[in-house]
Amino acid sequence: MARDPMLDIRSLRVTYGTGRMQVDAVKDVSFQVEPGSVYGLVGESGSGKSTVLRAICGLAPVSAGRIMVDGREVPSPRSKAFYRTVQMVFQDPYASLHPRHTVDRTLSEPLAIHGERDAEARILQALREVGLGPSFRFRYPHQLSGGQRQRIAIARALILRPKVLLLDEPTSALDASVQAEILNLLDDLRRNLGLTYILVSHDLAVVAHLCDRLLVMRHGEAVEETSSETLRANRVESDYTRSLVEASQGFTRRTPQAGAPLAS
Amino acid sequence: MTAPLLDVEDLRVRFHLRTGTVEAVRGVTFKLGRERLGIVGESGSGKSQTGRAILGLTPPPGEVEARRLAFDGIDLLTASRRTLRALRGGRISMVMQDPKYSLNPVMPIGEQIIEAYQAHKKAGKGEARDRALAMLEAVKMRDPGRVFALYPHEVSGGMGQRAMIAMMLVTEPDLLIADEPTSALDVTVSMEILRILDELVSERGMGLIFISHDLKLVSSFCDRVLVMYAGRVVEEIEARNLRDARHPYTQGLMRCLPTLKDDVRPLPTLNRDPAWAL
Amino acid sequence: MAGSPPLPPIPTAAPVGMRAWLLSSEPSSRWQARLGRGYLGWRTFSRNPLAVIGLAVILLLVFVALFADVIAPYSPIAGGDLRTERLLPPSALHWFGTDDQARDIFSRVIYGSRITLMVVMLVAVIATPIGLLFGTVAGYMGGWVDTVLMRITDIFLAFPRLVLALAFVAALGPGIENAIIAIAITSWPPYARIARAETLTIRNSDFIAAVKLQGASTPRIILGHVVPLCMSSLIVRVTLDMAGIILTAAGLGFLGLGAQPPMPEWGAMVATGRNYLIDQWWVAAMPGLAIFVVSLGFNLLGDGLRDVLDPKAAK
């Protein structure tokens, strides 16, 4: 191993409820993420991929296993220092911004919590980083489009200068053309700021585009760890991953006639 | 050529709001035979409002206007409420995005299908029941007898959507309008649903309007695609020729999707030309 | 640039000057953003003529209460000549007539507005924060905190308002202050329930998760993020409840347990008028009318506020 992993998850288990109502949302999932790389978690609903993210940042209960960030085991409850290292971007930009707070208030909140100075300059810089001008500073969320909202959510996550960004389906609520813009932005930010990403998505193409390595999950279990190259070459091992790859190509008729599948 | 199943000419949907008038659909024209027609567009393109306007389901304060809006020779704009009611759910059906909101939560699934059938066909309870069971089987429900007695909240999203399709197709409609029928579902489940839809459409010779934001899906499923932008159809094209699309918007939409096959970085983004919306 | 905003509505007329500044989609300061929001709210509110009438009634109440000594032509307490000026019908001299103590009813109604306004304000100031605090804390914390706080709420909710107020006043002695405390104590539980219900829907939203992930403390989240969202439905509810509170205060006054004579409290005035209801109707009718108008004003205002603050519930 050349470098210590930025994130090291060992036999993570997340259990909700007790007794007969007990549900194992995540069962013995392990993976490591190199600093500066992008790691993908892929799966359908109920696969536990989002729960892994929520467990890392303390929004879901960890019932067994170990989470190490930057070489140190994370404290429980998570400390303020942890939140300076790890931040998250949520799926739905319409739900992740407080409807009564201006962009300015949303961005200044993390600075106030951590007692940071120069709020003014930092907010303007954060807006610039996500490609929005100062004219957006005093708008309310309802005055923004979905893509602009997601940019604000990314700016909020980056304003504390974290090392790790957890991305929970960051583009699945957006139109295709806006998705491309956000994916490009995330790509640029990672290179410029040396960030490590964990990307959760149901869309294999998005994961393959952004990630180096990825983990396919199903029913709370890891199915297969693979890389985007393997995925591209369609050399995946498990049948489940293969069915996901197939489905992501669009609809295919069993007896091909009219409407050939669009392969491009 | 025979008369089209659906003939839409210069369809407009307007909403008079306090802040002004918004025209969601601005002069859409198309003809539909017994084929699979896809309507693609991003949010706000007016694709859903087009589908709703055909069924007369434009929410208030919307206003529908068209030079011609005819289904099988029946003018939908001047038809009486009774005729419309008989058509709706009888000869024209609609499948919505989320079965959770379209199924009645306090009625077992089987009862709902029977009710839909009896509302449009003269049939006894026994016959309606047989039809409903047969329909549940046709949508590949594993255990139709059991699902028949379940309430909507007791089934998964995929099963609910199948029940919805069963309910919509039990009256053997001539036209099915599917508005994002699989967007709330997982990919593998949505492929199953599409396969069922595909078989039913080709077996029964229905016309299908498939409304979706997913260009890849629509082009692989439909015969013909209308691409909508800002309330207008900017391009109409055979699905298999989509790669030769002429309109820059269609081209842009195609290119900005990341694909498994090749790794383009950065992804080409769409530069919206204000002229497209004119 | 970032995505396409939804199609802009075709404006009916280009906004100019002040309006354009208020409606700017790119406010340049915190204040402009806030004022713009306020202006939009006012536009929604002022489209409802009944709501504007309600607001006018309440403003009139405040104005009358503030300038009672200027407006009232006579003293509300000292009566005139008991032999010649008792129970006079409305006239140019005494607009609302006089009562059995030969006092000018118009002046008493004017001064009575001060008592009504005080009741309303004190109840709002006492009951709303208690309800808000109980509800948001219970809803946000959940678990045993929720159980304990909500059971306390249930206990208070179990007492019928007027009966508890009666018991309270009986224990502490009659008087307007005790009546206010009694009303406040019995009116906060519904607010706690509303605040809790709102909090439960807010608690699991992504924007609360996001602020948690920034390391915000629980009080910060409740006060800065949850409370502002509960406020609007609570303000609507409190305003709509005001009519009931005025009636309860008047009821206590009528029973002789609220304001004590010779205070010109409207409920107590109706009570004295009861004896002369048939022949001297104005003695009871005038303060009764005042109660009616103010209660109606609060109800109309509440409906109007609901349109502005809580658009979901309006339809």
Side-chain angles (χ1 to χ4, degrees), chain C residues 52-298:
Chain C
V52 177
I53 293 175
L55 181 68
V57 168
I58 305 311
L59 288 178
L60 186 73
L61 174 76
V62 173
F63 177 81
V64 164
L66 281 178
F67 299 101
D69 21 11
V70 184
I71 299 168
Y74 300 93
S75 156
I77 292 165
D81 191 334
L82 279 178
R83 285 164 304 174
T84 55
E85 292 179 335
R86 256 182 101 233
L87 297 169
L88 293 179
S91 64
L93 220 55
H94 299 284
W95 291 358
F96 288 2
T98 60
D99 67 2
D100 58 334
Q101 305 285 321
R103 292 172 297 203
D104 178 49
I105 295 180
F106 179 67
S107 303
R108 281 177 68 75
V109 168
I110 295 291
Y111 274 95
S113 67
R114 286 189 168 174
I115 299 173
T116 303
L117 195 66
M118 181 176 74
V119 171
V120 161
M121 285 202 324
L122 282 178
V123 170
V125 165
I126 298 169
T128 317
I130 299 178
L132 194 57
L133 198 70
F134 264 65
T136 49
V137 171
Y140 184 76
M141 306 284 281
W144 65 267
V145 178
D146 183 27
T147 314
V148 170
L149 289 181
M150 287 329 281
R151 288 306 78 79
I152 295 175
T153 312
D154 285 345
I155 291 171
F156 278 91
L157 206 57
F159 291 111
R161 176 183 286 183
L162 204 58
V163 174
L164 186 73
L166 279 176
F168 208 80
V169 170
L172 294 178
I176 190 73
E177 298 82 10
N178 291 339
I180 290 171
I181 294 172
I183 294 170
I185 281 180
T186 48
S187 49
W188 68 265
Y191 306 151
R193 291 213 157 175
I194 292 172
R196 177 172 176 269
E198 290 269 315
T199 308
L200 285 181
T201 60
I202 298 165
R203 177 172 76 165
N204 293 323
S205 61
D206 283 352
F207 60 85
I208 295 296
V211 72
K212 254 191 230 172
L213 292 190
Q214 286 149 13
S217 61
T218 305
R220 187 182 188 100
I221 296 174
I222 293 181
L223 291 178
H225 298 258
V226 177
V227 164
L229 285 175
C230 297
M231 275 312 273
S232 35
S233 51
L234 220 56
I235 289 175
V236 171
R237 179 63 196 259
V238 169
T239 316
L240 287 172
D241 273 3
M242 279 308 161
I245 288 166
I246 292 170
L247 287 178
T248 312
L252 285 173
F254 183 86
L255 294 171
L257 297 167
Q260 292 302 300
M263 272 176 99
E265 202 272 328
W266 294 345
M269 287 165 70
V270 174
T272 29
R274 200 177 37 161
N275 303 328
Y276 316 101
L277 205 57
I278 309 293
D279 299 315
Q280 286 87 24
W281 54 268
W282 56 89
V283 182
M286 292 307 176
L289 204 63
I291 296 172
F292 167 75
V293 169
V294 173
S295 304
L296 189 68
F298 272 113

